[in-house]
């Protein structure tokens, strides 16, 4: 937290950078996203400044097993939105591949195709060793991209672990992508993934077994709890040909309209923010402590001393926090 400039006032660099990205300057947007992703010193100010321009975009999360066709679906959806003049931002989070991995490379190629289109922006992200992790970084990157005026945010992530489920919680609408065959038994899917689905997609419906997957999902729909009057539909698609994309788009719109009623959207975002706020506090406290010398090495030394019984953690932690809470 930058206390020098105080809450609500920004350095001229930050004001200028955000003004430029708001005007559609793609380089400024890319720079701001990088600063935020790297958790640079100016990140907090950039985010604070950008936040006032967020809240109205529709955030659609697309998750599913590796290779299920998420990117192809995201691309197809993005094209439909662009054809309707809606601006689109994509955050593609790939925790499994190294930074130079195939998926990211593929995403770069996708981006190049859209390069001439100022109404489209894609950012690929992979795991960084940084504090706070990928869920925080992707949430922050989404804020910056939305502030650049994108009306639809598509968030792609491999649905395998808790991290990815946290990322999906960023979304207002969650699409879970399943595929026939490949031993991809719906029963073996984590219940967590089933529960977060607002819409199921059976992609690669050109393959044998689409019926079977659809039947299994319908049989397990009781797991898709807490949806009240919304029954998650099952949409069949062939992302590579565009078959079913229109139906998917319609289902997303229908869910969005359903969310808009009876305060559901606010309730959903509130759940997201409850987790995020705690995460932000933890992140900032750790950052402050690191700024005061709590390096990885120092942490290792302290841990060693505590393990060896030479330090009392219940005394140590209040001591560490003391300078931060002193008025
Ligand atoms: N036959 C068929 N192939 C598809 C379909 N959709 C996608 N594919 C192919 O499946 C492969 C993986 O597609 P991607 O869109 O990269 O899948 P992904 O889920 O984004 O993959 P990761 O991000 O690596 O997890 C590509 O070769 C696609 O062309 C489909 O509906 N039918
Ligand atoms: Mg992908």
């Amino acid at each position: 937290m930058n206390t020098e400039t105080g809450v609500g006032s920004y350095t001229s660099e930050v004001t200028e950078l955000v003004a430029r990205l708001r005007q559609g300057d793609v380089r400024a947007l890319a720079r701001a996203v990088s600063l935020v992703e790297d958790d640079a010193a100016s990140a907090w100010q950039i985010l604070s400044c950008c936040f006032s321009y967020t809240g109205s975009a529709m955030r659609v999360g697309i998750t599913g097993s590796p290779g299920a066709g998420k990117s192809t679906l995201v691309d197809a959806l993005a094209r439909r939105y662009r054809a309707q003049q809606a601006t689109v931002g994509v955050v593609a989070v790939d925790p499994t591949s190294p930074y130079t991995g195939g998926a990211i490379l593929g995403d770069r190629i996708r981006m190049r195709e859209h390069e001439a289109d100022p109404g489209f922006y894609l950012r690929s992200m992979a795991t960084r060793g940084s504090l706070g992790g990928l869920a925080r970084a992707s949430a922050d990157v989404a804020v910056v991209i939305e502030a650049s005026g994108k009306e639809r945010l598509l968030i792609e992530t491999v649905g395998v672990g808790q991290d990815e489920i946290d990322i999906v919680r960023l979304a207002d609408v969650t699409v879970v992508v399943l595929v026939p065959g490949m031993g991809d038994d719906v029963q073996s899917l984590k219940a967590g993934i089933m529960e977060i689905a607002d819409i199921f997609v059976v992609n690669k419906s050109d393959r044998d077994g689409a019926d079977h997957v659809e039947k299994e999902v319908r049989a397990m729909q009781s797991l898709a709890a807490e949806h009240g009057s919304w029954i998650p539909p099952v949409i069949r698609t062939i992302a590579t040909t565009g078959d079913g994309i229109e139906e998917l788009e319609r289902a997303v719109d229908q869910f969005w309209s359903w969310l808009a009623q009876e305060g559901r959207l606010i309730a959903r975002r509130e759940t997201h923010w409850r987790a995020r706020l705690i995460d932000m506090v933890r992140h900032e406290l750790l950052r402050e402590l690191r700024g005061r010398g709590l390096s990885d090495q120092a942490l290792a030394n302290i841990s060693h001393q505590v393990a060896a019984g030479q330090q009392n953690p219940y005394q140590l932690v209040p001591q560490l926090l003391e300078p931060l809470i002193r008025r």
Side-chain angles (χ1 to χ4, degrees):
M1 202 172 314
N2 194 324
T3 42
E4 277 161 30
T5 48
V7 176
S9 66
Y10 310 110
T11 62
S12 56
E13 284 91 346
V14 165
T15 313
E16 204 174 297
L17 188 66
V18 175
R20 274 171 48 210
L21 73 88
R22 296 267 311 141
Q23 285 155 14
D25 182 335
V26 181
R27 280 165 156 254
L29 174 56
R31 170 139 181 79
V33 166
S34 294
L35 287 167
V36 162
E37 194 185 357
D38 294 343
D39 199 20
S42 57
W44 196 271
Q45 278 198 39
I46 294 171
L47 286 162
S48 168
C49 195
C50 283
F51 181 78
S52 14
Y53 305 108
T54 63
S56 55
M58 181 207 278
R59 295 165 166 234
V60 184
I62 315 258
T63 189
S65 42
K70 300 175 297 294
S71 298
T72 318
L73 278 169
V74 162
D75 232 39
L77 258 186
R79 277 174 213 283
R80 281 195 70 85
Y81 290 144
R82 289 302 295 129
Q84 299 154 21
Q85 314 305 323
T87 50
V88 178
V90 178
V91 184
V93 191
D94 189 346
T96 50
S97 89
Y99 218 42
T100 50
I104 301 275
L105 199 64
D107 290 336
R108 289 227 179 95
I109 293 164
R110 280 158 70 201
M111 186 58 210
R112 208 170 300 147
E113 279 177 34
H114 291 275
E115 210 150 19
D117 178 3
F120 180 91
Y121 181 79
L122 177 144
R123 183 64 165 217
S124 288
M125 302 175 64
T127 310
R128 293 265 173 119
S130 74
L131 265 176
L134 207 48
R136 178 201 65 77
S138 28
D140 287 346
V141 164
V143 166
V144 178
I145 295 179
E146 188 182 346
S148 78
K150 303 297 181 283
E151 296 155 305
R152 304 270 193 280
L153 278 187
L154 304 176
I155 303 150
E156 173 191 337
T157 183
V158 178
V160 283
Q162 186 57 49
D163 253 14
E164 295 73 55
I165 291 177
D166 286 347
I167 291 164
V168 162
R169 284 197 210 285
L170 268 179
D172 303 314
V173 185
T174 301
V175 178
V176 170
V177 184
L178 306 165
V179 285
M182 304 191 324
D184 194 5
D185 196 358
V186 176
Q187 305 286 344
S188 70
L189 269 179
K190 292 213 173 87
I193 283 287
M194 297 297 289
E195 276 165 25
I196 58 171
D198 301 311
I199 296 166
F200 289 102
V201 162
V202 178
N203 189 41
K204 307 199 181 181
S205 288
D206 49 325
R207 292 193 178 165
D208 288 344
D211 276 342
H212 179 66
V213 177
E214 185 174 339
K215 246 186 235 142
E216 275 191 277
V217 175
R218 293 204 188 276
M220 285 185 74
Q221 262 173 345
S222 58
L223 267 182
E226 294 304 318
H227 275 87
S229 56
W230 177 262
I231 299 163
V234 184
I235 317 278
R236 288 204 201 185
T237 59
I238 306 172
T240 37
T241 62
D243 272 39
I245 300 299
E246 194 180 332
E247 288 78 2
L248 173 58
E249 187 200 340
R250 208 176 307 134
V252 169
D253 281 345
Q254 280 166 356
F255 185 70
W256 183 246
S257 308
W258 181 84
L259 269 185
Q261 296 157 29
E262 296 172 25
R264 292 180 187 118
L265 181 62
I266 294 286
R268 182 168 279 223
R269 289 182 173 181
E270 201 180 299
T271 307
H272 160 68
W273 278 109
R274 184 182 286 254
R276 280 274 290 141
L277 286 168
I278 291 171
D279 189 48
M280 284 165 74
V281 169
R282 182 185 295 135
H283 183 69
E284 282 313 296
L285 277 176
L286 271 173
R287 191 219 294 271
E288 285 289 332
L289 291 176
R290 287 188 181 250
R292 288 161 194 263
L294 189 69
S295 62
D296 284 341
Q297 188 55 50
L299 199 59
N301 292 344
I302 296 171
S303 305
H304 178 77
Q305 288 165 3
V306 172
Q310 296 156 355
Q311 283 263 24
N312 180 341
Y314 297 96
Q315 284 174 7
L316 198 68
V317 171
Q319 274 167 23
L320 284 172
L321 293 177
E322 232 269 321
L324 303 184
I325 48 187
R326 210 174 22 209
R327 284 169 194 274

